[in-house]
Amino acid sequence: MSAPEVPVRRQTRQRTAVLTLLDQLDGFRTAQDLHALLRERGDAVGLATVYRALQALVDDGLVDVLRGEDGEAAYRRCSPVHHHHLVCRSCGLTVEVADPPVERWAARVAAEHGFADVQHQLEVFGTCGRCTPAQR
Amino acid sequence: MSAPEVPVRRQTRQRTAVLTLLDQLDGFRTAQDLHALLRERGDAVGLATVYRALQALVDDGLVDVLRGEDGEAAYRRCSPVHHHHLVCRSCGLTVEVADPPVERWAARVAAEHGFADVQHQLEVFGTCGRCTPAQR
DNA sequence: GACCCGTGTGAGAATGGTTCTCATGACCAG
DNA sequence: CTGGTCATGAGAACCATTCTCACACGGGTC
Ligand SMILES: [Mn+2]
Ligand SMILES: [Mn+2]
Ligand SMILES: [Zn+2]
Ligand SMILES: [Zn+2]
């Protein structure tokens, strides 16, 4: 019934800077972090614009969002296919992982309890090798 | 090395009211919601106190926290053993579920990538039967 | 290349959930 | 019962995120 609603995205220096930066990072970063990094690097971008650019990238499926313990959102350039994350609590380093079995499990469990329109969320947190202090 | 650090919890009208209310609810509720419910019911409790009581319950393992899309924290009286949640996006109704296979999977995947001190988080969201509009 | 118009930008204000402050009140061990 | 310690609550403070709105600019068009 409604139009495809395809918002035309203009290519601006700011949006390019945000995506370029994300492509060079390997972990989840907060909008505030990204804003600070852009400023250090020289391509200054307004904070509000960083938020808007990130939201657009999320809508386009190019970036994933994750909420930290404190509720602050963190963003990462991710592959467009469904996957989960193995995240370092210390440095944010992230590895994309897949778990086919859990996909079916989630669907089955939801059906058994009469739930529809199901989605799931699975993340693994830990400390990566580089951040683990040399063990005795 | 450090003392057991066992903070003595006093039993107050406010803390009792919060836990009693949570025991009567079956789904995740925000602190603001709980505060409003307590006010309606008559046992008025300060908002700051609601937050403090909930945090204490979380620390004691009696309550689970979940962050919504908007980052707002939601609380629920839960069993003290490890489990996951099947949550209704509409009314908050929640069912506790377990998935033994995913436990081993998470540990294995983390180990394969050199991650230590691993934890995981798995939640399933959907629309419960009561909230699903009668299908045609 | 010049024009136009709708979209994007940014500084600052506003929002809103959560935490902090601190004077006052209430558990509860002794 | 009493004292000291912990808890409470009203309001201020905090802080990530969103909104406002005047201005800049991307990118079709001719
Ligand atoms: Mn999955
Ligand atoms: Mn588990
Ligand atoms: Zn790390
Ligand atoms: Zn429901």
Side-chain angles (χ1 to χ4, degrees), chain A residues 82-84 99 102-103 120-122:
Chain A
H82 178 76
H83 61 268
H84 301 284
D99 180 21
V102 84
E103 309 297 325
H120 65 273
Q121 169 183 323
L122 169 60

Side-chain angles (χ1 to χ4, degrees), chain B residues 31-74:
Chain B
Q32 309 268 352
D33 278 348
L34 295 171
H35 176 245
L37 286 172
L38 287 171
R39 170 160 299 186
E40 288 176 17
R41 153 191 288 209
D43 323 274
V45 176
L47 179 57
T49 299
V50 171
Y51 275 104
R52 283 184 291 233
L54 289 172
Q55 191 53 62
L57 290 168
V58 170
D59 292 343
D60 292 347
L62 299 176
V63 164
D64 278 357
V65 200
L66 216 53
R67 294 267 173 190
E69 294 283 302
D70 57 359
E72 190 172 0

Side-chain angles (χ1 to χ4, degrees), chain A residues 10 12 14-15 49 52:
Chain A
R10 289 184 180 171
T12 66
Q14 293 85 344
R15 286 177 182 174
T49 299
R52 283 183 292 232

